Amino acid sequence: FQQGDQSEALKQAELAVQNSSIFPAIHTQALAILARIELGLNEFERSKEHGQKAIEMRDKGGINCIFESMLRLTLAEALEAQGRSAEAREALKNGRDYLLKHAASLYDSSQRNTYWEKSFDSARLLDLARHWLGD
């Protein structure tokens, strides 16, 4: 959406959230995408709210969100943009811990390296964790 029409991306993401409410897994993913778009539009509070809602839904329902790295990265960045550094670091720590736990479940090291390094969101999350948390 960085090169396209941002308002159209926002409308489509909002529509996806509205139309997916009866499908928790899809709804969680739509919320994650909406939160990321809102972050890009400097709608930090809305981004944080939608990101937190998606994480709560995922945790409550045991839902696997394919955008987990993006979701957790978005939440940390939205909190940091609001000057809520302690909360941002906690969100980032939780995201990093989730990533490391998930990556540990992958069978071979090449899969783990791909998961960590070739996924932009995963790589950015881990890089921010190194800088923000000193890890």
Side-chain angles (χ1 to χ4, degrees):
F1 100 92
Q2 292 173 342
Q3 296 177 353
D5 182 352
Q6 293 178 345
S7 63
E8 183 62 25
L10 181 63
K11 287 178 195 174
Q12 293 300 318
E14 288 171 338
L15 187 60
V17 168
Q18 290 172 4
N19 291 333
S20 64
S21 62
I22 62 171
F23 304 105
I26 296 170
H27 191 68
T28 301
Q29 293 169 41
L31 281 167
I33 292 168
L34 177 59
R36 192 68 195 174
I37 292 169
E38 290 167 338
L39 179 68
L41 294 171
N42 298 327
E43 296 285 342
F44 305 126
E45 183 62 26
R46 290 186 67 200
S47 177
K48 177 198 65 86
E49 288 172 6
H50 288 126
Q52 285 178 325
K53 184 175 180 181
I55 289 173
E56 288 168 11
M57 287 181 64
R58 190 197 65 74
D59 290 346
K60 198 180 275 187
I63 298 166
N64 183 17
C65 181
I66 62 171
F67 301 116
E68 189 74 34
S69 296
M70 179 189 70
L71 174 58
R72 292 183 179 265
L73 175 63
T74 297
L75 180 57
E77 290 176 326
L79 288 163
E80 182 68 22
Q82 291 178 305
R84 298 164 71 172
S85 295
E87 291 173 82
R89 278 157 182 67
E90 183 64 25
L92 192 63
K93 180 187 176 304
N94 291 339
R96 183 210 47 213
D97 292 350
Y98 176 89
L99 258 181
L100 296 177
K101 181 181 175 187
H102 180 72
S105 72
L106 299 174
Y107 293 109
D108 69 35
S109 61
S110 66
Q111 286 180 321
R112 280 190 295 278
N113 289 340
T114 297
Y115 182 72
W116 286 338
E117 297 167 3
K118 303 220 176 182
S119 161
F120 172 79
D121 296 317
S122 296
R124 174 125 173 91
L125 191 146
L126 292 174
D127 186 52
L128 279 180
R130 280 189 288 276
H131 288 88
W132 291 6
L133 305 173
D135 293 347

